[in-house]
Amino acid sequence: MSPAGPLPSPEPANPLWQQEAREQFPIVTAHPELAYLDSAATSQKPRAVLEAVQTYLTTSNANAGRGAYPWANRTTELVESTRERVKEFLHDPEPGRSGVHFTSGTTEGLRTVARDWLVPYLTDGDEILVPYADHRANLDPWLEARRLLAERGVDVRVQALPYQAGSGDYDHLALGRAVGPRTRFVAATHVHHVYGGDMNVHRIREAVGPDVVICLDAAQSVGHLPVHLDDPSLLDVDFVVFSGHKAMALPGSGVVWARNARGPVFRPEGWQGTPNTAGIVSLRAALDWLDMIGPERVEHWTTMLTTRLTDRLGRLGPYEIVGCQASLSADSALPAEQRRRGIVTFRHRDIPSGDLGFILFSHGFMVRADNLCQAGSDGRDASVRVSLHVYNTVEEIDRLLAVLASLA
C-alpha cells in the first residue's frame, strides 16, 4: 500500500542551496543509502566545523586563561570572543550587560542555573512553575533545587505548567491564573522535543507579567530556527540554555546565556576548571556556518519537510501522530510559525515503537524509538521520532512514507 494522491510540494525538491549545504556534511554524503532522521538527539557536523577543530588542535591547542605564551593567549582569545559570538548569534540587545557561560550541554546548563542562581535567589514561601511534560532536563534540576532549599529549611512551592489537552502546547490562560504574588520563576521550553511545536514563549511573558524570571530550554531551537532576543514580543526571557551538539558543534559543548536584568547577576559558583576549548572552537565555527546558510532558510526547509511528512502520514490509519492535530495537513489554516519545527513523533497501532524503529533502520532510516526522555513517561509511552535538519531531502521523506505505508 502506498500513500494516495500527490505529495505536497511547497517549493521545488532539493533546491540548489540545499544540495550545496548537504554536500558539506561528510558523514551524510559518505552514506547515501542511509537517511539520518535523528537531529533532535544530535546534529551532524559540516566540514567547516570539523576543519576548524582540526586546525585549532594542530596549530594552537593550549589551555585558556592559564598561560602567557602565544598558543595559550590565542586559546583564551578564542574562548572570550566566542562568548561575544554567541551574543551576536542570539541577537542579544544588551551584550554589555548579559553573560555567557560555557557548559557541557543543556542538562548541565539548566542544573547550573538551578543550583547556582535559583537556590540563592528564592526565599521561604516563593513559588516556581516548571514543565512536567517536557524533557527531563527541564524538570529534574528544578525539583533538585526544591530539595536543596528544603534541606536548608526553605519551603518553596513547585507548580506544574498547565498544558492544553491534546496539543502539547502550554495553556497560557490557565498559566495566568496560576501566577500569584510569590511567583518568582518559570522554566519553559522553546520547541518541544516530542511534539515539535513552538511553545509560544511570548505568551508566557504575557501571562506571568514583567517581573517573573523565565528560563528557556532552547535545545531544539538554537541551530534549527532563528532565535532573536532583541524582539521582546517573542523572547523576553532571562536565561537561554542550549547544547552545541544539537547546533552542529561537537558533543560536550553548551551555553547558558543570562540577560542579567531581573534578579541577581548570574555567576556560576565554584572554581571554573579547564573549559572544553575544542568544543568552544567548534561552537563558534558552527554558529558562523549557520549564519552563512541562514537560520531562516533552515527553518523554512525543515518545516516544509515536516509538513510533507505529517500531511501524508496523518492519512494512514494505523498511525497516531502525537501533538497538535491542527498542524498535520499541508493546507492547514494555522500560520506558518505554528507548524512543527522539524520534529514528527508517532506510534503504530499494532507495531511496538521499538520494533518499528528496527524495521525502519532495516530500510536505511535512523530514527529515535523510545520514550524520548519525556518527563513523566515510561516504556509504555514509547514512540518513534523523526527529526530533520538542513541535510535531509524530499526524497528521504518520500521513501520513508513509502515504507510506513507498506506497514499500514
Side-chain angles (χ1 to χ4, degrees), residues 218-350:
Q220 300 298 346
S221 56
V222 173
H224 299 259
L225 62 143
V227 178
H228 286 248
L229 295 170
D230 57 352
D231 187 347
S233 67
L234 295 175
L235 287 178
D236 182 9
V237 298
D238 301 276
F239 294 97
V240 173
V241 186
F242 67 93
S243 299
H245 75 93
K246 298 188 182 188
M248 300 191 174
L250 293 185
S253 59
V255 167
V256 174
W257 172 89
R259 190 183 294 275
N260 294 328
R262 301 176 181 91
V265 172
F266 173 67
R267 292 190 180 90
E269 295 181 358
W271 176 256
Q272 302 300 303
T274 298
N276 178 2
T277 54
I280 292 169
V281 167
S282 77
L283 179 61
R284 181 181 182 123
L287 299 183
D288 289 344
W289 191 88
L290 286 162
D291 264 345
M292 178 189 70
I293 295 297
E296 293 83 1
R297 196 153 55 171
V298 172
E299 177 190 28
H300 178 74
W301 181 252
T302 57
T303 300
M304 183 276 292
L305 294 180
T306 303
T307 303
R308 192 178 187 92
L309 176 56
T310 59
D311 185 79
R312 303 311 299 170
L313 186 58
R315 305 181 195 184
L316 298 177
Y319 295 97
E320 171 204 4
I321 303 177
V322 303
C324 178
Q325 300 301 298
S327 68
L328 302 184
S329 172
D331 58 1
S332 168
L334 286 177
E337 60 269 19
Q338 295 306 312
R339 297 288 191 182
R340 292 166 189 250
R341 295 297 194 264
I343 295 174
V344 180
T345 303
F346 57 91
R347 300 183 182 94
H348 192 286
R349 182 183 58 214
D350 302 314

Side-chain angles (χ1 to χ4, degrees), residues 1-4 312-313 316-319 348 356 360 398-408:
M1 176 179 179
S2 60
R312 303 311 299 170
L313 186 58
L316 298 177
Y319 295 97
H348 192 286
L356 183 55
L360 290 177
D398 291 354
R399 284 196 293 116
L400 175 66
L401 282 164
V403 172
L404 292 173
S406 72
L407 301 172

Side-chain angles (χ1 to χ4, degrees), residues 150-223:
E151 291 174 355
R152 304 178 187 183
V154 178
D155 182 28
V156 170
R157 183 185 179 197
V158 176
Q159 295 191 74
L161 274 174
Y163 294 82
Q164 296 176 5
S167 72
D169 196 5
Y170 299 133
D171 186 333
H172 302 92
L173 294 178
L175 173 59
R177 295 190 292 269
V179 173
R182 298 298 300 274
T183 302
R184 299 286 183 258
F185 179 87
V186 174
T189 299
H190 195 182
V191 173
H192 200 280
H193 74 293
V194 176
Y195 309 123
D198 185 319
M199 301 297 279
N200 292 300
V201 180
H202 66 284
R203 294 182 183 169
I204 294 179
R205 174 57 67 197
E206 294 171 3
V208 303
D211 300 323
V212 175
V213 172
I214 299 175
C215 179
L216 190 65
D217 174 353
Q220 300 298 346
S221 56
V222 173

